[in-house]
Amino acid sequence: MLLAIGAIIAGLVLLVWSADRFVEGAAATAKHLGMPSLLIGMVIIGFGTSAPELAVSAMAAADGNPGLALGNGYGSNITNIALIVGLTAVIAPIAVHSQVIRKELPLLLALTAIAGVQLLDGQLTRLDGWVLLGVFTAVMGWSIYQGIKGKGDTLVGDTDAELIAHPMPLKVALIWLLVGLVLLIVSSRMLVWGAVTIAQSLGVSDLIIGLTIVAIGTSLPELASALAAVKKNEHDLILGNIVGSGIFNTLAVVGLAAAIEPLTVDPEVLYRDWTLMAALTAGLLLMTLGLTGKNRLISRFDGALLLLVYVSYTGYLASTIIR
């Protein structure tokens, strides 16, 4: 048990560090190759902060633990919205300006609905996984189109500010890109082994471990980037990371896991985890549209409400472990 706990801690630390190096290298490489700033912000950075979830879920599915992969994908979305957006808004209310984000959130809600339909028969087949990956490919194509058209979006300025603040030669960027990718694989294997070992020792499902310990750990890059963006008053970058990460988790993370190893889905995943994920996404959409307050602002009250939801949900999951 102690060795497993050590593997989780070391795996999480290395996972977060390698993901940060990976996203910096990827963003700098994309900038050198002439990729539009908006596309870097919505796709590259969104992918980079979701790289831990993708690596862990793929490794878990390949090792025959798809429940851990599903819990990681859904749990990360819940953590991103309820904990990260909630905590960020409590620290400083989040003003919403980006037109693209207000287009991306309805898309995320629609994708969440597709995921729910797939859960109705109590299983995620390889076909379901490939459908999610196919939709993911289409969404990325749409994002590329938006990136080319959206030169005047406020998210462009936020992303440019990030890239200017951390200049990187192309050779260095490629090195960090490769090193980050290799370490992502190594650290995700450590984390999956530790999580599965603890789940077996405690007699709980790997789904619960994925929804809690692993989801929180793999969401640390989103939390770090959100807190950094708060200091710089880059509000749209915060939501851009969360929405981009949500799309990756719903489609790529869960889709890749199901394509690797089909899984039987317990009923509570639909009525408990998916329902909360969908409700949080819908609530975030209402907040960004200004329907819960004035001036399209995610207020401190909104943030406190999100945090209360997260604490209640996590407490409920913890109670199932204790029982």
Side-chain angles (χ1 to χ4, degrees):
M1 178 71 82
L2 289 177
L3 184 59
I5 293 175
I8 288 180
I9 295 174
L12 283 175
V13 172
L14 185 58
L15 193 69
V16 172
W17 185 84
S18 60
D20 191 44
R21 301 287 81 76
F22 177 80
V23 70
E24 285 187 6
T29 300
K31 191 64 177 178
H32 281 293
L33 296 178
M35 182 176 288
S37 297
L38 185 65
L39 191 58
I40 295 174
M42 290 299 296
V43 180
I44 300 297
I45 294 178
F47 173 76
T49 54
S50 294
E53 289 91 340
L54 192 63
V56 169
S57 291
M59 198 67 67
D63 288 347
N65 301 104
L68 178 61
L70 181 62
N72 183 29
Y74 287 1
S76 293
N77 278 3
I78 292 170
T79 301
N80 287 346
I81 297 176
L83 176 61
I84 297 177
V85 175
L87 180 61
T88 303
V90 167
I91 295 173
I94 304 174
V96 182
H97 303 296
S98 173
Q99 292 291 332
V100 171
I101 289 174
R102 290 199 294 273
K103 293 176 183 176
E104 293 270 350
L105 264 172
L107 173 62
L108 177 57
L109 188 59
L111 297 176
T112 303
I114 293 174
V117 171
Q118 290 187 330
L119 298 176
L120 290 175
D121 61 357
Q123 58 182 342
L124 281 176
T125 65
R126 279 196 174 88
L127 178 60
D128 290 330
W130 284 112
V131 167
L132 291 176
L133 292 175
V135 175
F136 172 72
T137 301
V139 169
M140 288 302 98
W142 182 80
S143 296
I144 291 173
Y145 175 74
Q146 289 294 315
I148 294 173
K149 285 186 60 179
K151 295 181 180 179
D153 195 276
T154 57
L155 189 55
V156 173
D158 290 344
T159 304
D160 281 338
E162 274 297 300
L163 295 173
I164 292 173
H166 301 91
M168 188 180 297
L170 179 58
K171 183 178 180 180
V172 176
L174 290 172
I175 291 174
W176 279 125
L177 181 63
L178 179 60
V179 170
L181 181 60
V182 171
L183 292 181
L184 269 174
I185 296 173
V186 173
S187 57
S188 62
R189 176 160 289 282
M190 293 171 59
L191 179 57
V192 168
W193 177 83
V196 171
T197 301
I198 288 180
Q200 292 173 345
S201 299
L202 296 176
V204 300
S205 68
D206 53 1
L207 172 69
I208 295 296
I209 298 298
L211 287 166
T212 52
I213 298 174
V214 178
I216 294 172
T218 55
S219 293
L220 290 177
E222 283 91 344
L223 177 60
S225 63
L227 294 178
V230 167
K231 294 180 181 179
K232 301 172 185 176
N233 203 33
E234 297 172 344
H235 290 173
D236 282 343
L237 192 58
I238 298 171
L239 292 179
N241 286 343
I242 296 301
V243 175
S245 178
I247 292 173
F248 269 91
N249 291 337
T250 304
L251 296 178
V253 172
V254 177
L256 181 60
I260 293 173
E261 182 67 31
L263 69 153
T264 300
V265 180
D266 294 331
E268 59 262 28
V269 173
L270 179 60
Y271 69 73
R272 180 191 65 197
D273 309 315
W274 176 87
T275 298
L276 178 60
M277 182 174 70
L280 286 171
T281 304
L284 186 60
L285 175 60
L286 294 177
M287 294 174 191
T288 59
L289 291 175
L291 300 182
T292 62
K294 296 180 179 180
N295 302 323
R296 293 194 174 98
L297 186 75
I298 302 178
S299 65
R300 285 191 171 91
F301 175 80
D302 293 330
L305 183 60
L306 289 172
L307 285 177
L308 178 61
V309 170
Y310 181 77
V311 170
S312 300
Y313 171 73
T314 305
Y316 173 76
L317 291 180
S319 71
T320 64
I321 296 176
I322 295 175
R323 286 181 299 184

